[in-house]
Amino acid sequence: MTPVSSHSPHGQSPLRTVQVLGGGNAGSSVHVRSLASGLVARGVRVTVCAPTEADHLYDFSGVGAEHVDVPRSSDPGSVAALRAACADADLVHAHGLHASFRAVLALSGRRTPLVVTWHDRAYAEGARAHLVRLLERRVAKAASVVLGTTSALVDRARRTGARDARLAAVSLPGPRRTAENEHADTERLSPKVRAELGATGRPLLIAVGSLDRHRGYEVLLDAARVWRRLDPLPLVVIAGEGPLRGELQRRIEEEGLPVRLIGRRDDVRELLAAADLAVLPSRWEARSVLAQEALHARVPLVATEVGGLPELVGDAAELVPYGHPQALAEAVVGLLGDPDRCELLRERGVRQAATWPTEDETVAQVLSVYDELTQPRPLI
């Protein structure tokens, strides 16, 4: 691995980096917090540019980073605020498409290296889909390095015009308490959580993610219709908010489906610990946080065979085609009736999770990219 250091190109002061977030994606926000913590511990100066509410949720300041409030992209002052925050940066690292595009605009006319991480695809339909493709092309061509969290995203960046696209090591940060305490707490809380959700004496299925079209929740509701006659009747709990809430709630009520929408939650680990199965019916996923959390928690996972999921979970989950409610229902019903298969998936999940990069490995890879872009090259 490339040697890493925390010094600027002139060796006179610590490397100064700016991390840019759009503020809407939980996975990228958790990653930036972990990255900021590791970089600060290695002597790097870190400024996180994100909306104030993101700092309240993820506490970037609490790990030693400076937080600068930069409004969401819909605010006309966001680019100017970001340009000011990046004025003395040795390197800027943006996360997600919209944050990356703002970083490109903010760095216009400057020679500051720009690293971009694509954590997931940006979703859009109709005329907006064309705009997204234009933004992707502009960002990919402007970035010094594009890091993709899956092979598919790396390939997409290369097709879009990136001069240097690489696979990123992105870890899932562990709980901030000890594993023993975490296990003891979840064991004690699980019956209480199940009771609060209305799942006492019946199987509990957990899905987590924004209520957007690409999450595939319409397919999950179709599958729930298939197992409505099971006894005991499984309950599906979906944690998340988004534009489809009204539409999904109407279907649940009109069709009498055993599904509950519980809104955005910050206790996903506790929800998973109480669950019999985790379900991920998405049209596309990159390095899904839910999939990683489920395998870490030893919860059998049923997921669609799309995007980066097969690469991420290997043989440690039941994979089904996207958009096939019957296949999704059969996989769920099959696991609920096969405790031996569930135990096998739990054991495979532990082994698969052990192959994922650690937080230290993630920070080391990112810092090696930073050094490559900021260290002076010898004259030939």
Side-chain angles (χ1 to χ4, degrees):
M1 180 175 289
T2 305
V4 297
S5 71
S6 60
H7 294 89
S8 72
H10 307 293
Q12 296 173 340
S13 61
L15 184 70
R16 297 161 299 175
T17 70
V18 173
Q19 307 288 325
V20 185
L21 272 170
N25 183 287
S28 57
S29 299
V30 169
H31 170 64
V32 168
R33 185 187 194 279
S34 170
L35 188 58
S37 177
L39 290 172
V40 168
R42 288 161 174 79
V44 177
R45 281 180 53 193
V46 179
T47 298
V48 177
C49 291
T52 297
E53 58 266 29
D55 189 46
H56 290 160
L57 281 171
Y58 299 101
D59 193 23
F60 307 117
S61 307
V63 297
E66 178 189 359
H67 171 253
V68 173
D69 177 34
V70 173
R72 295 178 185 276
S73 55
S74 56
D75 189 306
S78 62
V79 173
L82 184 56
R83 185 171 178 83
C86 295
D88 66 344
D90 294 314
L91 179 141
V92 174
H93 188 166
H95 301 262
L97 179 61
H98 296 289
S100 301
F101 181 65
R102 280 188 291 157
V104 170
L105 297 179
L107 294 176
S108 178
R110 297 177 180 173
R111 302 185 66 181
T112 310
L114 173 63
V115 177
V116 165
T117 295
W118 284 2
H119 294 266
D120 208 339
R121 277 177 54 186
Y123 297 92
E125 297 176 353
R128 186 166 171 77
H130 177 65
L131 174 61
V132 165
R133 287 193 295 271
L134 292 176
L135 294 183
E136 284 182 333
R137 188 173 301 118
R138 176 78 181 273
V139 167
K141 289 183 175 180
S144 306
V145 174
V146 177
L147 300 174
T149 60
T150 69
S151 300
L153 287 173
V154 173
D155 291 342
R156 186 179 184 88
R158 287 172 179 156
R159 290 196 305 270
T160 310
R163 53 187 138 157
D164 188 341
R166 313 178 191 181
L167 187 63
V170 177
S171 64
L172 177 70
R176 296 176 198 172
R177 294 175 294 169
T178 67
E180 291 79 6
N181 288 343
E182 185 79 9
H183 179 72
D185 286 351
T186 52
E187 284 287 308
R188 186 177 68 255
L189 289 172
S190 289
K192 180 183 177 184
V193 172
R194 292 178 70 96
E196 289 174 350
L197 295 174
T200 301
R202 62 195 294 198
L204 174 62
L205 281 58
I206 294 290
V208 180
S210 59
L211 305 184
D212 291 296
R213 193 74 61 187
H214 71 272
R215 296 292 184 185
Y217 290 133
E218 302 100 318
V219 179
L220 180 56
L221 296 193
D222 290 341
R225 294 182 63 183
V226 176
W227 63 62
R228 275 190 306 184
R229 294 178 179 82
L230 287 182
D231 185 20
L233 179 63
L235 173 67
V236 179
V237 170
I238 302 175
E241 275 297 348
L244 289 188
R245 184 181 182 102
E247 178 182 325
L248 295 173
Q249 189 62 50
R250 279 192 297 275
R251 274 200 61 189
I252 292 167
E253 293 171 0
E254 291 171 1
E255 299 175 32
L257 300 176
V259 179
R260 283 192 61 194
L261 306 180
I262 61 172
R264 186 178 287 110
R265 300 285 288 249
D266 59 4
D267 59 346
V268 171
R269 282 194 170 102
E270 287 79 6
L271 293 175
L272 279 171
D276 296 286
L277 299 179
V279 187
L280 190 59
S282 304
R283 181 169 64 194
W284 203 91
E285 287 280 350
R287 200 170 180 86
S288 164
V289 173
L290 175 64
Q292 295 176 79
E293 294 276 19
L295 268 59
H296 274 300
R298 292 176 50 84
V299 177
L301 172 68
V302 178
T304 42
E305 194 171 9
V306 297
L309 284 173
E311 182 180 359
L312 178 67
V313 303
D315 63 356
E318 294 285 8
L319 297 178
V320 299
Y322 166 75
H324 291 265
Q326 187 66 37
L328 179 60
E330 288 174 359
V332 166
V333 173
L335 281 180
L336 291 176
D338 191 345
D340 290 339
R341 176 67 179 170
C342 287
E343 184 58 31
L344 177 62
L345 290 180
R346 292 187 189 100
E347 293 170 0
R348 288 178 176 175
V350 171
R351 290 198 297 269
Q352 183 68 13
T355 69
W356 297 335
T358 64
E359 288 185 84
D360 279 347
E361 289 167 343
T362 298
V363 174
Q365 187 212 34
V366 168
L367 194 48
S368 72
V369 173
Y370 291 180
D371 277 353
E372 182 183 326
L373 294 174
T374 59
Q375 295 298 315
R377 292 176 175 79
L379 296 175
I380 300 175

